[in-house]
Amino acid sequence: MNTKKRLIIAMTGATGAIYGVRMLQILQTLPDWESHLVISSAGLVNLKYELEMDKAELYALADVTHGINDIASPIASGSFKTEGVVVAPCSMKTLAAIAHGFGDNLISRSADVALKERRKTVLIPRETPLNLAHIRNMAAVTEMGGIIYPPMPAFYNKTDSMRAMVDEGVGRILDMYGISVEGLYKPWTGLGNNEI
Ligand SMILES: Cc1cc2nc3c(=O)[nH]c(=O)nc-3n(C[C@H](O)[C@H](O)[C@H](O)COP(=O)(O)O)c2cc1C
């Protein structure tokens, strides 16, 4: 019997493939967790362009991989127990599909399943500026219980490293699933000034 907790990492064609990759790399170090990866065809294009990684290299980071069109996959059903899904990064197209329950591929379907089963669903949407459709779709996902986590850095961390900015977001999102990884980010502890 599988006693590991399962987390679905879904990667789309928004810029920010590094978010999905870092999630998978960190899950690889956690023996109690099993990562389930699904990536869209646009996601693969960006993976190659941004990180010079191909599908085989990405698949090697995941415990289980699923084809984007495999709607017969276990993660397409609520009967397959998972802790939820992180869409990292999430394009505006996939955001729209999730917001409207349009399960035309395994990413939108697995998010649809997570939302209907009331499992944690975190989207890392990447677009700027936002039009009203984007904002309304984010509101719709939030109303359904999903969490919108835009990849915005905490400037107070005063870093000039992209890796540190990504790890801060990744660390905070994994925290939401009860996964605390030492060293990914420094929680804010105040300024120590009780005179303010
Ligand atoms: C280099 C590159 C960067 C892109 N960045 C974004 C982005 O940040 N946000 C977005 O919504 N779409 C972005 N797109 C467009 C999406 O890839 C496109 O809308 C695609 O249809 C999304 O499909 P998917 O959600 O199935 O992956 C980008 C495309 C390319 C080639």
Side-chain angles (χ1 to χ4, degrees), residues 11-16 39-46 49-50 68 89-95 105 107 125-128 134:
M11 296 175 63
T12 75
T15 181
I39 182 166
S40 69
S41 50
L44 285 170
V45 171
N46 279 9
Y49 181 69
E50 292 177 2
I68 184 70
C90 184
S91 72
M92 295 303 100
K93 179 199 136 189
T94 293
L95 166 70
N105 66 32
I107 293 180
R126 218 306 314 181
E127 191 48 275
T128 196
H134 303 151

Side-chain angles (χ1 to χ4, degrees), residues 85-185:
V85 55
V86 185
V87 188
C90 184
S91 72
M92 295 303 100
K93 179 199 136 189
T94 293
L95 166 70
I98 295 169
H100 294 274
F102 187 66
D104 66 330
N105 66 32
L106 193 56
I107 293 180
S108 46
R109 172 61 188 167
S110 60
D112 197 51
V113 166
L115 289 169
K116 83 183 173 74
E117 301 291 337
R118 309 294 193 267
R119 295 174 187 158
K120 202 170 288 289
T121 306
V122 180
L123 273 50
I124 307 182
R126 218 306 314 181
E127 191 48 275
T128 196
L130 300 170
N131 66 33
L132 191 54
H134 303 151
I135 292 168
R136 286 196 170 130
N137 288 336
M138 289 183 201
V141 170
T142 305
E143 280 165 352
M144 287 188 278
I147 295 170
I148 300 293
Y149 193 107
M152 294 181 188
F155 294 97
Y156 54 72
N157 281 334
K158 298 182 186 172
T159 181
D160 53 10
S161 143
M162 188 184 317
R163 167 72 176 261
M165 288 193 298
V166 169
D167 276 2
E168 181 215 328
V170 166
R172 289 182 62 173
I173 291 166
L174 291 177
D175 267 350
M176 294 179 192
Y177 289 87
I179 302 171
S180 287
V181 180
E182 193 72 30
L184 277 183
Y185 75 102

